[in-house]
């Protein structure tokens, strides 16, 4: 296992288009997180899955955003009707279910979205 | 709500000199604190973490941090900077009072470390 992977690494789209990103967590990590990082800022929490259940969503996640984790393995994040303000790095992280707050999250390389 | 404040957005040091990256936290609970590093075009990597076992925490690549409850600080240090240390560093707090097991992370705004040859 080589860690958390994300695809694509880069996405350029026009305003109003829909985009979908994929995250493959470390196998057997049942907790999965999405974060968004804008230029010059630290990552901000978007949403959290435990297995296939989406248990928490940030207020940052508008109704144009939807995330799924259908079989408790990989996850997708879709943005509909993209806006220029959606341009950011989207990061995925995972951690084992047995851990606590003191256990690290393992991050993927991110998907950089540019909305023209 | 928990938060972290990184006091310097940019730090420059000469190669071979000490590094100090400052972080203050705010928490109503006993926090779990982390330092992550982000190199260009690479994912976030854990440097070290504080979990209340010891106030002085040693991490990878010669970095260490000291948890000071009285000062609500968790500063990151390294005795001698190397060119490969140039990166963005994030101080992070984990929410111990989690909803449905969601120990989501709250990041500081980051400190960009530049190493002068």
């Amino acid at each position: 296992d080589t860690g958390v992977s994300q695809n694509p690494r880069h996405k350029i789209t026009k305003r109003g288009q829909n985009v979908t990103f994929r995250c493959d967590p470390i196998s057997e990590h049942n907790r999965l997180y999405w974060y968004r990082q804008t230029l010059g800022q630290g990552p901000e929490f978007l949403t959290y899955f435990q297995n296939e259940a989406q248990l928490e969503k940030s207020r940052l996640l508008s109704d144009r955003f939807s995330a799924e984790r259908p079989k408790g393995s990989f996850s997708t994040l879709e943005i509909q009707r993209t806006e220029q303000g959606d341009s950011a790095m989207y990061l995925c992280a995972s951690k084992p279910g047995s851990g606590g707050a003191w256990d690290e999250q393992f991050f993927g390389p991110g998907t950089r979205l540019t909305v023209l | 709500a928990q938060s972290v404040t990184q006091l310097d957005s940019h730090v420059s040091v000469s190669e071979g000199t000490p590094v100090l990256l400052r972080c203050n936290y705010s928490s109503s609970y006993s926090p779990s604190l982390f330092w992550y590093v982000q190199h260009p075009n690479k994912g976030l990597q854990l440097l070290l973490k504080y979990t209340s076992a010891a106030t002085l925490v040693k991490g990878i690549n010669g970095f260490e941090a000291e948890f000071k409850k009285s000062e609500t600080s968790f500063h990151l240090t390294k005795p001698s900077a190397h060119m490969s240390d140039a990166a963005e560093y994030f101080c992070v707090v984990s929410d111990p009072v989690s909803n449905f097991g969601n120990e989501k992370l709250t990041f500081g705004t980051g400190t960009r470390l530049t190493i002068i040859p």
Side-chain angles (χ1 to χ4, degrees):
Chain A
D1 192 301
T2 57
V4 179
S5 61
Q6 293 186 246
N7 288 287
R9 295 290 305 275
H10 303 274
K11 179 70 177 178
I12 300 174
T13 191
K14 293 182 179 179
R15 188 178 55 185
Q17 298 295 304
N18 299 343
V19 294
T20 299
F21 311 140
R22 177 178 169 128
C23 170
D24 287 272
I26 293 172
S27 56
E28 299 179 357
H29 279 190
N30 69 345
R31 299 186 190 183
L32 186 147
Y33 306 78
W34 284 98
Y35 293 84
R36 182 172 68 187
Q37 184 178 17
T38 53
L39 204 61
Q41 299 296 316
E44 294 175 290
F45 169 76
L46 290 180
T47 190
Y48 161 66
F49 288 86
Q50 187 167 312
N51 297 311
E52 67 277 7
Q54 186 177 20
L55 298 182
E56 188 168 348
K57 294 192 290 185
S58 162
R59 283 172 288 182
L60 293 174
L61 215 64
S62 75
D63 55 7
R64 297 185 297 105
F65 288 69
S66 62
E68 294 182 342
R69 194 181 183 197
K71 297 184 179 179
S73 56
F74 72 91
S75 175
T76 59
L77 178 67
E78 180 183 15
I79 309 174
Q80 297 182 324
R81 306 181 304 281
T82 52
E83 302 173 355
Q84 288 184 326
D86 298 330
S87 295
M89 176 77 85
Y90 290 84
L91 296 166
C92 178
S94 69
K95 70 187 279 186
S98 56
W102 52 87
D103 285 323
E104 69 173 293
Q105 293 181 15
F106 293 82
F107 283 83
T111 295
R112 181 170 295 284
L113 173 66
T114 302
V115 182
L116 302 176
Chain B
Q2 302 193 117
S3 65
V4 289
T5 302
Q6 293 186 244
L7 301 170
D8 306 292
S9 59
H10 192 188
V11 170
S12 294
V13 301
S14 297
E15 188 176 18
T17 64
V19 175
L20 170 63
L21 305 183
R22 299 182 295 167
C23 171
N24 286 109
Y25 70 90
S26 173
S27 174
S28 301
Y29 310 96
S30 180
S32 291
L33 293 162
F34 307 80
W35 277 97
Y36 278 82
V37 62
Q38 188 174 40
H39 290 273
N41 300 316
K42 292 190 176 180
L44 287 156
Q45 181 184 18
L46 180 71
L47 275 179
L48 49 80
K49 61 182 179 182
Y50 167 74
T51 60
S52 77
T55 56
L56 183 61
V57 182
K58 293 187 183 299
I60 61 172
N61 300 334
F63 284 94
E64 61 183 39
E66 186 172 7
F67 174 75
K68 292 186 177 181
K69 186 175 181 178
S70 60
E71 299 176 9
T72 62
S73 68
F74 190 57
H75 301 334
L76 181 71
T77 60
K78 182 173 181 178
S80 177
H82 190 272
M83 294 300 295
S84 61
D85 295 328
E88 189 88 17
Y89 291 78
F90 292 97
C91 184
V92 184
V93 62
S94 178
D95 186 354
V97 182
S98 60
N99 298 321
F100 308 106
N102 177 16
E103 294 100 8
K104 60 181 176 289
L105 302 179
T106 300
F107 285 76
T109 51
T111 298
R112 179 164 299 278
L113 178 62
T114 299
I115 310 299
I116 303 167

